[in-house]
Amino acid sequence: MNSMRYRFLFWCCFFLTVCKAQAQEKKIDSLKTALSVHKEKDTTRVNLLYDLAYSHFQRDLDLTYSYLDEAERLSSELDYIKGKARVFYLKGILENIKSDYDKSLEYFEQSLAYNKSIDDQDGIASCYTAFGITFYDLSRYADAIDAYSKALDIYKKTGNKRQQITILINSANAYSEMGRLDEAVLNYKRALKESRAMNDEDGISYVHINLGVVYKLQGNYPLALDNFSKSLEYDIKTRDTMGMAVKMNNLGEVYSALEKYPKALSYYEKSLLFSSKQGNDKLAAIVRGNMGKLYFLQKDYNKALAYHNTSLKTSEEIGDLKQTAICHNNIGGIHLLLGKPVIARDNFEKAKTISEQTNNKHVLPVSLLGIAESYTKELNYQKALSFAQEAEQIAEELHLLEMHKKAMELLSVIYENTGQFKKALEKHQRFKILNDSLFNKENIEKIAQVEYEYKYRQARDSANIRELELTKQVLATSQDLARSNQNLLWATIGILLISILLGSLVFYQKFTNIKAKNETILTEQKLLRSQMNPHFVFNSLSVLQGMILNKEENKSVEYLSKFSKLLRLTLENSRDKLVLLSQEIAAVENYVALQNLESNQYEFSIEMELNDSASSIKIPPMLIQPFIENAIEHAFTGETQDRKIEVHLQFINEELVCTIKDNGIGINSEKVNQHNGKKSLATQITSERLEILSRHFKTKGSVQVENRAKYNEKGTVVTLVLPYEKQKTV
């Protein structure tokens, strides 16, 4: 699937701000309150009903239709033209979502006519944008670009920057489908620049998903995962179900390409569930097609054919030409493998015809290679040659690495069997070069591993040097203590008994302080080394490596800055006795964000119920993060869905209590799954620190780990009582 747009965030309605989840809920509540107060049947009530319908259309279709029906009736009674235009516009969107494109276009035509009658420029531009999106869904890419161009002219005149970004992205999608990649990339880059300048999160999210698809097509899977995960993170934050369905399908495709089939299937199943609930037949057909490809890769051909045929039937019913062509290609591929070249070729030729009609150059080379391979199976190399050559030309033009590689391999076979050995050798050599490309996933992982090992050795050597210095410090302190003991012994001979008692007390206090200092230093060493999680560092460096290989200098610098910030914060906090609670929370959030970078598989939340602001409370550093890390590493073994980690901070009887909950397998199961039954190193170190810190601050500090099963819940709960100080205010 080439999911190079997510249309729902960019339907250009008459109020244009897509709010964050919390702000959106407040807005809906405010609209409901206003509607309950405003009983008069006038244009104000129509607008309130429409705004409520629009606010719900991505979440609750029943409520959307309820509000919309009342808005339509009242607009007709009042002959409110603008109200009618808005109602027909949203009805067109709803029909588009259900893939009824004819009815969708009919509603948009009615909305456009009403908007033109009152010269509403924003409304006219919104309709042109809606036409463009619907034409795109019908694979009428030239018509889509023409409609987008009309909308863009209006938005430039009205100065609407947000909608100009929308048009740039949607136009780029159409250019990409037509194989005009240079124009597509130019539009994406302009849109990303404008979105960042406006701090437009939904615009940035939308560009990320499109860039993810481009990287996936190029075989650059680390960057594809990075972009899809960033876009999915925004959808989860805004609780956009359809957005999550699209991104999960994208992630399933990447994991399938990486041969991580169980993980891919998990994402596909979630995507199918969300898209089916929303009645989006188009996306459901695409996901079923991808599941068919997944079973094909696992050599379960009967199940693969069943999914592809279901996808084909739905795609033909809703008029999705692109997915219809993809289904024919997939069905052809299975029959080719089953030794049925005639049936295979019939499907490939149907896909070829559709791709040529819609000018879809991403699907076309698959059809051409399939036809060429079917003739090769029949030893008809002359007929196979022209189709393979055409596929090679398109794959090279669009930089489709996998297609280009397959074309080279097939051409090598064809030339060899027609006696053109020099050309056969040339194509085989080019095939080897492409197969060993830097974008090959094995090489990406190998290069990232080498760089990781080098960086880790540097960090380890640095830690060893610091350990040596600390050891010398401990030794020097011990020698000072010995000399002090000797001097004290000689001094006590000549003084009275009371002096001996006082001296002993002084000595005992000094000894206790030095011992506590040594314990703190050694614990600090262990804590520093425990933060160097190799798996976490490797994943982060792998993503960074992919950015560098793709020559995205600005992006790689931005990512490196974010990654280094976490490492720097970890190292700095290891030296500080106290840090602000807000600073500690920021470090934890940054750590989880980087852990979630690959697939956003953990739902993380922090809730604080504090009388004082987090910015006025200081606590010892790195007491919370080890338990977050422990939950990520051990709590969800065998769990692939609904992974939640919750942190709750509150004062109880003037004690600062931090509760960390997960919904994983539970502490007893964790112990069974840990190697040799060993206790978590980070948890052990944190327990030791709390004992030392409790004595130092003269306040209670403790840790308690429990299985939530005792509360009839799932997972583990860690209760920390944290030593703290309140920052003095001037």
Side-chain angles (χ1 to χ4, degrees):
M1 171 198 173
N2 181 7
S3 302
M4 295 192 71
R5 83 272 179 269
Y6 170 42
R7 58 184 179 274
F8 307 107
L9 286 178
F10 290 93
W11 280 110
C12 309
C13 198
F14 295 87
F15 65 93
L16 300 168
T17 302
V18 179
C19 303
K20 294 182 180 179
Q22 186 176 3
Q24 184 75 351
E25 290 294 343
K26 290 181 179 178
K27 184 171 186 176
I28 291 173
D29 291 341
S30 176
L31 288 169
K32 286 181 178 178
T33 302
L35 184 66
S36 64
V37 172
H38 194 92
K39 302 294 185 181
E40 188 175 352
K41 294 184 177 181
D42 55 9
T43 59
T44 299
R45 184 171 179 83
V46 172
N47 292 334
L48 288 170
L49 288 165
Y50 175 81
D51 289 348
L52 278 166
Y54 182 84
S55 298
H56 283 92
F57 93 91
Q58 292 182 48
R59 303 181 181 189
D60 191 327
L61 288 177
D62 291 336
L63 269 177
T64 298
Y65 281 114
S66 175
Y67 288 125
L68 196 60
D69 288 344
E70 187 178 348
E72 184 176 12
R73 286 195 302 270
L74 189 54
S75 294
S76 298
E77 292 175 10
L78 299 171
D79 195 24
Y80 179 34
I81 303 300
K82 186 170 183 177
K84 293 179 181 179
R86 301 178 86 185
V87 166
F88 280 116
Y89 175 78
L90 185 51
K91 289 176 75 172
I93 293 176
L94 295 172
E95 293 304 321
N96 180 288
I97 293 172
K98 294 188 292 186
S99 302
D100 191 340
Y101 301 122
D102 289 338
K103 188 174 288 187
S104 177
L105 289 171
E106 181 183 330
Y107 284 136
F108 291 142
E109 287 283 4
Q110 291 176 275
S111 179
L112 179 62
Y114 281 126
N115 281 308
K116 284 184 175 180
S117 70
I118 58 176
D119 194 29
D120 186 336
Q121 292 298 305
D122 279 341
I124 294 169
S126 296
C127 289
Y128 281 132
T129 303
F131 280 126
I133 292 172
T134 308
F135 287 142
Y136 179 97
D137 289 333
L138 290 168
S139 302
R140 294 165 56 181
Y141 304 121
D143 291 336
I145 290 174
D146 181 60
Y148 291 144
S149 178
K150 292 177 182 178
L152 185 60
D153 289 340
I154 295 174
Y155 287 131
K156 284 181 177 178
K157 291 177 183 177
T158 60
N160 192 325
K161 287 285 188 181
R162 182 181 292 273
Q163 295 308 322
Q164 290 179 45
I165 294 170
T166 300
I167 300 302
L168 287 171
I169 297 172
N170 288 352
S171 298
N173 297 340
Y175 282 128
S176 178
E177 293 294 341
M178 296 172 71
R180 295 160 65 175
L181 291 185
D182 290 341
E183 292 167 279
V185 171
L186 179 63
N187 277 272
Y188 284 140
K189 289 184 177 179
R190 287 171 59 193
L192 187 59
K193 181 180 179 181
E194 294 293 337
S195 297
R196 285 174 174 165
M198 293 181 61
N199 195 27
D200 181 4
E201 288 188 285
D202 44 324
I204 294 171
S205 171
Y206 189 47
V207 175
H208 277 310
I209 186 176
N210 286 288
L211 288 173
V213 172
V214 172
Y215 292 133
K216 177 175 67 69
L217 289 171
Q218 292 176 334
N220 191 345
Y221 301 122
L223 279 184
L225 288 173
D226 178 32
N227 280 275
F228 288 145
S229 298
K230 286 179 178 176
S231 189
L232 177 61
E233 181 180 350
Y234 177 79
D235 293 331
I236 292 172
K237 182 169 64 174
T238 57
R239 291 191 290 178
D240 189 339
T241 304
M242 277 311 306
M244 287 187 276
V246 173
K247 309 314 183 309
M248 287 175 178
N249 179 64
N250 294 135
L251 288 165
E253 290 179 307
V254 177
Y255 282 117
S256 179
L258 290 170
E259 299 178 6
K260 297 182 178 180
Y261 301 134
K263 200 164 190 176
L265 183 60
S266 172
Y267 277 111
Y268 285 146
E269 288 173 342
K270 291 176 186 176
S271 178
L272 185 60
L273 177 64
F274 287 146
S275 55
S276 298
K277 280 185 176 180
Q278 291 293 321
N280 192 318
D281 294 334
K282 180 183 180 72
L283 180 57
I286 291 169
V287 177
R288 287 191 177 97
N290 285 335
M291 293 174 76
K293 286 191 286 187
L294 187 64
Y295 285 115
F296 171 81
L297 293 170
Q298 295 176 304
K299 300 182 179 180
D300 190 342
Y301 302 126
N302 290 330
K303 190 172 285 188
L305 276 173
Y307 273 104
H308 287 315
N309 283 320
T310 303
S311 178
L312 176 62
K313 182 181 178 182
T314 303
S315 300
E316 288 177 335
E317 288 174 351
I318 65 177
D320 187 347
L321 296 178
K322 177 184 173 183
Q323 184 60 21
T324 300
I326 291 173
C327 289
H328 279 303
N329 277 336
N330 291 331
I331 293 170
I334 295 174
H335 285 299
L336 198 62
L337 195 65
L338 294 174
K340 300 176 181 179
V342 176
I343 299 176
R345 185 161 57 246
D346 179 60
N347 279 278
F348 286 130
E349 286 175 344
K350 289 178 181 177
K352 174 178 174 290
T353 300
I354 295 172
S355 299
E356 288 174 339
Q357 288 174 350
T358 59
N359 195 26
N360 192 320
K361 291 187 177 181
H362 290 287
V363 179
L364 182 57
V366 181
S367 308
L368 293 168
L369 282 175
I371 295 171
E373 194 168 353
S374 72
Y375 281 124
T376 302
K377 294 283 186 183
E378 296 174 338
L379 307 182
N380 193 341
Y381 300 112
Q382 291 300 329
K383 281 193 173 182
L385 181 59
S386 61
F387 291 104
Q389 287 174 330
E390 187 179 353
E392 176 200 4
Q393 182 181 352
I394 296 173
E396 186 172 13
E397 175 190 344
L398 299 184
H399 307 290
L400 305 178
L401 180 65
E402 287 298 322
M403 287 296 101
H404 199 189
K405 187 171 65 175
K406 290 178 181 177
M408 291 297 100
E409 186 177 21
L410 185 57
L411 281 168
S412 175
V413 173
I414 294 171
Y415 284 132
E416 183 179 355
N417 283 279
T418 54
Q420 302 178 68
F421 299 112
K422 183 178 179 180
K423 288 185 177 180
L425 179 61
E426 289 175 355
K427 296 301 180 183
H428 181 72
Q429 288 174 337
R430 292 193 64 188
F431 164 72
K432 291 294 291 180
I433 291 171
L434 289 172
N435 200 46
D436 295 334
S437 164
L438 283 176
F439 281 151
N440 179 281
K441 67 183 180 65
E442 288 85 0
N443 283 337
I444 289 176
E445 293 175 356
K446 188 180 296 182
I447 291 169
Q449 177 68 24
V450 170
E451 182 168 343
Y452 154 70
E453 289 176 353
Y454 171 71
K455 295 290 186 182
Y456 182 71
R457 280 198 302 270
Q458 282 188 321
R460 184 190 61 194
D461 292 343
S462 176
N464 287 339
I465 291 171
R466 187 177 178 201
E467 183 177 359
L468 180 60
E469 292 175 349
L470 291 172
T471 302
K472 290 180 179 178
Q473 183 179 350
V474 172
L475 181 60
T477 304
S478 299
Q479 291 173 344
D480 290 342
L481 179 60
R483 286 194 294 269
S484 177
N485 288 344
Q486 187 177 17
N487 293 335
L488 185 61
L489 179 61
W490 285 107
T492 56
I493 296 176
I495 63 174
L496 299 173
L497 183 61
I498 188 169
S499 298
I500 295 174
L501 178 61
L502 290 174
S504 298
L505 290 173
V506 170
F507 165 74
Y508 177 76
Q509 185 64 41
K510 185 176 181 180
F511 177 83
T512 302
N513 290 339
I514 293 173
K515 183 178 179 182
K517 182 179 179 181
N518 291 344
E519 289 177 344
T520 302
I521 291 170
L522 292 173
T523 304
E524 179 186 79
Q525 286 180 255
K526 296 178 184 177
L527 180 64
L528 176 60
R529 292 196 296 271
S530 74
Q531 301 307 307
M532 299 295 182
N533 187 314
H535 180 68
F536 163 65
V537 176
F538 166 72
N539 282 346
S540 300
L541 288 174
S542 178
V543 172
L544 179 60
Q545 177 68 29
M547 293 179 183
I548 295 171
L549 290 175
N550 203 52
K551 297 182 179 179
E552 294 197 70
E553 291 87 353
N554 293 337
K555 190 171 183 182
S556 60
V557 169
E558 180 182 352
Y559 182 83
L560 180 60
S561 175
K562 185 176 180 181
F563 177 61
S564 62
K565 180 180 179 181
L566 178 61
L567 292 182
R568 184 172 64 251
L569 191 60
T570 300
L571 293 171
E572 289 176 351
N573 283 357
S574 70
R575 293 194 297 265
D576 294 334
K577 184 178 294 184
L578 291 172
V579 297
L580 290 172
L581 177 57
S582 58
Q583 183 179 345
E584 180 74 354
I585 291 171
V588 170
E589 290 176 333
N590 201 9
Y591 171 80
V592 175
L594 284 172
Q595 284 283 14
N596 260 339
L597 192 60
E598 183 181 51
S599 59
N600 212 345
Q601 55 189 328
Y602 303 102
E603 184 177 338
F604 178 74
S605 63
I606 292 182
E607 182 180 1
M608 293 187 290
E609 297 179 11
L610 305 176
N611 296 328
D612 299 86
S613 169
S615 61
S616 66
I617 298 173
K618 284 189 171 185
I619 66 171
M622 290 179 287
L623 287 172
I624 301 174
Q625 179 176 324
F627 294 96
I628 303 295
E629 181 177 356
N630 202 44
I632 289 174
E633 290 185 357
H634 303 297
F636 302 103
T637 303
E639 300 280 340
T640 58
Q641 300 180 7
D642 191 29
R643 300 178 172 185
K644 294 182 180 179
I645 301 175
E646 301 172 352
V647 178
H648 185 208
L649 287 155
Q650 60 181 327
F651 280 112
I652 300 177
N653 298 327
E654 296 188 354
E655 292 180 352
L656 180 57
V657 179
C658 175
T659 305
I660 304 166
K661 294 181 179 180
D662 65 68
N663 63 342
I665 60 177
I667 184 65
N668 294 332
S669 299
E670 289 176 32
K671 288 182 178 180
V672 172
N673 290 329
Q674 288 174 6
H675 299 299
N676 300 323
K678 291 180 180 177
K679 187 178 179 182
S680 165
L681 178 61
T683 304
Q684 182 177 353
I685 294 172
T686 304
S687 300
E688 294 173 2
R689 287 186 69 210
L690 280 171
E691 291 179 7
I692 297 171
L693 292 167
S694 297
R695 296 196 298 267
H696 177 79
F697 286 97
K698 298 180 181 179
T699 59
K700 184 179 179 181
S702 63
V703 57
Q704 182 179 7
V705 183
E706 300 175 282
N707 193 320
R708 296 174 67 184
K710 65 188 295 184
Y711 305 110
N712 295 321
E713 296 175 348
K714 182 182 178 184
T716 302
V717 58
V718 178
T719 304
L720 287 169
V721 177
L722 302 175
Y724 71 94
E725 287 185 359
K726 293 182 179 179
Q727 190 175 26
K728 296 180 180 179
T729 56
V730 180

